Amino acid sequence: DKGNFRHFMAKEIYEQPEVISHTLANYIDMATETVRLPEDLPFDFSQLKRITICACGTAYYAGLVGKYWMEKYARLPVDIDVASEFRYREVPLEEGGLAIFISQSGETADTLASLRYCDSQGQHILSIVNVRESTIARESGTVFPTLAGPEIGVASTKAFTCQLTVLACLAIAAGRQRGILAESDERKLVHALVEVPRLATQALKLEPQIEDIARDLSRARDVLYLGRGLNYPLALEGALKLKEISYIHAEGYAAGELKHGPIALIDENVPVIVVSPSDSLFDKTISNMQEVAARGGNIILLTDEDGAQASGDQPQATLVLPKMFQFVQPLIYAIPVQLLAYHTAVFMGTDVDQPRNLAKSVTVE
Ligand code: M6R
């Protein structure tokens, strides 16, 4: 049931404050502001030398954010790959390592094959899945469910932010077990997570402005997304979402890679969406933005109040999000990124919930 929404995708975007809240409640002890791990976890993060993460599509981008978090907050090296490559790579793995699989459906063929390979190599198997009765969940030693509820739209939205929520909790728990995060650090990070549903609700209020921007975007043939650090995976996710449902060609790039090639594409016909909150990497990304502006590119900037001030009149449009702790940025910036793709697709008149050539769960190789 779509309720009052025109598409399942819109409904699912709007459900995010609530489902993130549910997911958080499953992993966080609100009274002590700490992450709660199952008692019978068969591994200890302090014993691990590295982690392998494997997934496809949007779930892979969630994993990429997870890698940045694990490295920064738990000082734990992470290898990540798309499952369709990982499964054929004959990756050497040290016995007793941890492999994490992320999947909304829990039925993605390549992700499952990668899981079985890691299992055969003596890894602990942890899966982050939305469908609890799925094959991936069944074959995992440990399951960390996302509590997103059924996701009907082919374009993944709420499952993505719930995957991020679980990965954020895991990174905090890992940081604690490895002695990287002190009690007060953990509380600070958990506190930032608890604020996410409220910030997400605020981000949803940008919708009317996003609709205006989407009207222009729907006339583009190619769109570029740029982001750095934690926002790089979001640039990838933004481009995937846009091409999936609007059929407009889009590419996501690490902002620093711009000058290594894609800048050749920039002219007044290629909108460039820059995801750049005013954090420690802001200045770097803004100088990439200036390179785009100098070539006549039309910039759409996703930032906060300080970022908007600092970028002056260079962007053609600016979406101003609330100021937040860097740690939780991907969870909140995901929302305008999803809404931009959604409204562009609506202007194009495509079948938003059932885009051509795509299936909700990819059970073929
Ligand atoms: O069910 P899964 O999370 O394993 O699916 C992975 C991808 O097929 C999925 O995320 C796909 O990329 C979505 N259509 C993205 O919106």
Side-chain angles (χ1 to χ4, degrees):
D1 177 18
K2 286 188 266 218
N4 291 327
F5 292 92
R6 212 167 135 191
H7 299 100
F8 279 108
M9 183 180 177
K11 174 170 178 265
E12 288 161 4
I13 290 173
Y14 271 84
E15 278 170 358
Q16 287 176 111
E18 197 187 334
V19 294
I20 292 172
S21 227
H22 286 159
T23 304
L24 277 175
N26 205 46
Y27 297 96
I28 280 176
D29 182 341
M30 297 292 176
T32 56
E33 296 196 318
T34 52
V35 173
R36 222 187 300 115
L37 285 181
E39 310 233 310
D40 55 350
L41 214 56
F43 58 88
D44 187 311
F45 283 101
S46 65
Q47 309 293 313
L48 296 174
K49 291 210 195 83
R50 52 193 322 114
I51 296 184
T52 304
I53 300 183
C54 220
C56 299
T58 289
Y60 168 73
Y61 297 142
L64 210 48
V65 174
K67 169 186 167 79
Y68 281 62
W69 278 334
M70 278 288 178
E71 291 176 348
K72 180 172 168 124
Y73 297 105
R75 307 297 302 144
L76 189 52
V78 176
D79 291 319
I80 176 162
D81 204 352
V82 290
S84 55
E85 282 301 314
F86 180 89
R87 61 177 296 193
Y88 301 115
R89 265 173 50 214
E90 304 182 33
V91 180
L93 296 164
E94 209 175 305
E95 179 87 27
L98 173 65
I100 301 180
F101 301 88
I102 309 168
S103 176
Q104 188 286 127
S105 63
E107 301 295 347
T108 302
D110 286 324
T111 309
L112 180 60
S114 304
L115 181 156
R116 287 179 176 155
Y117 171 77
C118 288
D119 193 30
S120 76
Q121 301 297 302
Q123 304 299 291
H124 294 293
I125 307 294
L126 186 160
S127 63
I128 299 176
V129 291
N130 198 41
V131 179
R132 288 214 212 187
E133 312 70 39
S134 58
T135 314
I136 289 180
R138 254 195 329 270
E139 296 196 15
S140 301
T142 309
V143 179
F144 276 39
T146 47
L147 279 73
E151 191 181 64
I152 311 293
V154 163
S156 184
T157 53
K158 62 177 181 169
F160 175 67
T161 45
C162 286
Q163 287 159 355
L164 291 179
T165 303
V166 174
L167 287 161
C169 291
L170 265 178
I172 296 174
R176 175 183 69 209
Q177 283 193 347
R178 293 169 65 78
I180 306 294
L181 297 177
E183 235 174 80
S184 58
D185 300 323
E186 174 167 7
R187 269 206 306 274
K188 221 166 80 189
L189 293 172
V190 169
H191 193 78
L193 279 178
V194 173
E195 292 285 295
V196 164
R198 185 182 60 79
L199 291 166
T201 306
Q202 265 178 270
L204 287 167
K205 300 214 168 96
L206 292 168
E207 186 168 27
Q209 243 182 300
I210 293 176
E211 224 179 318
D212 282 344
I213 298 172
R215 190 173 297 114
D216 288 342
L217 219 52
S218 67
R219 289 190 274 264
R221 240 187 50 173
D222 310 281
V223 178
L224 212 57
Y225 285 75
L226 300 178
R228 213 177 253 276
L230 283 173
N231 296 300
Y232 163 47
L234 278 198
L236 298 173
E237 168 63 2
L240 176 64
K241 215 95 296 176
L242 189 72
K243 63 189 139 195
E244 258 192 312
I245 58 172
S246 75
Y247 315 145
I248 294 174
H249 170 235
E251 302 265 2
Y253 264 95
E257 279 289 297
L258 184 69
K259 52 185 162 308
H260 299 289
I263 197 161
L265 296 174
I266 305 290
D267 65 19
E268 56 288 353
N269 300 316
V270 182
V272 180
I273 300 179
V274 181
V275 186
S276 184
S278 66
D279 55 21
S280 55
L281 300 173
F282 180 75
D283 290 346
K284 304 270 180 220
T285 308
I286 289 309
S287 74
N288 302 132
M289 199 179 85
Q290 282 156 351
E291 290 155 14
V292 172
R295 286 156 186 86
N298 288 324
I299 295 154
I300 298 154
L301 176 64
L302 277 59
T303 188
D304 48 37
E305 201 62 69
D306 293 346
Q309 292 257 326
S311 61
D313 56 6
Q314 262 169 359
Q316 195 186 34
T318 305
L319 286 170
V320 181
L321 283 99
K323 183 95 188 145
M324 69 198 75
F325 196 13
Q326 192 167 18
F327 176 54
V328 298
Q329 282 166 1
L331 282 148
I332 308 301
Y333 279 74
I335 289 175
V337 159
Q338 296 163 350
L339 282 173
L340 260 176
Y342 172 71
H343 282 293
T344 307
V346 170
F347 278 120
M348 304 288 284
T350 57
D351 188 347
V352 173
D353 286 331
Q354 288 285 338
R356 67 186 183 201
N357 307 341
L358 295 174
K360 182 66 187 157
S361 128
V362 184
T363 51
V364 290
E365 298 182 353

